[in-house]
Amino acid sequence: QINNIVALLKGFTFYVNGTLSIEKAFVTGGGVSLKEIQPKTMMSKIVPGLFLCGEVLDIHGYTGGYNITSALVTGHVAGTNASEFISPPQTL
């Protein structure tokens, strides 16, 4: 199942049909509160092993590259730490 999910995510494509005016170029708000993540690892404080980044977070930046920069930086931090994460032993 994990391999199927990975294949679907890697194969996801979309097409851009154009752009809108600068007045409509702002991102939507909302998402996971920054109070619910560990900022040095981007791991959820609520669900250990869940790493969050990009526009899934409640970060608002002005138009001009701030949101894409935030997405790239948080993605790098989350990905690096997720690759090093070792799941705690599970109890049955």
Side-chain angles (χ1 to χ4, degrees):
Q1 288 179 336
I2 291 175
N3 288 336
N4 286 339
I5 291 172
V6 169
L8 288 170
L9 290 173
K10 285 184 169 184
F12 179 76
T13 59
F14 63 93
Y15 299 95
V16 177
N17 294 325
T19 61
L20 298 175
S21 65
I22 192 70
E23 290 80 21
K24 296 187 179 186
F26 291 91
V27 298
T28 58
V32 176
S33 171
L34 297 179
K35 294 177 183 178
E36 295 180 8
I37 62 160
Q38 299 173 10
K40 290 187 178 185
T41 64
M42 302 309 293
M43 184 169 72
S44 168
K45 292 179 180 177
I46 298 169
V47 181
L50 176 63
F51 293 82
L52 305 159
C53 63
E55 292 205 18
V56 74
L57 301 171
D58 188 17
I59 297 175
H60 302 281
Y62 294 103
T63 299
Y66 298 106
N67 292 304
I68 190 68
T69 301
S70 172
L72 291 170
V73 171
T74 58
H76 176 73
V77 173
T80 300
N81 287 286
S83 72
E84 297 172 358
F85 180 76
I86 298 173
S87 176
Q90 297 192 7
T91 58
L92 299 176

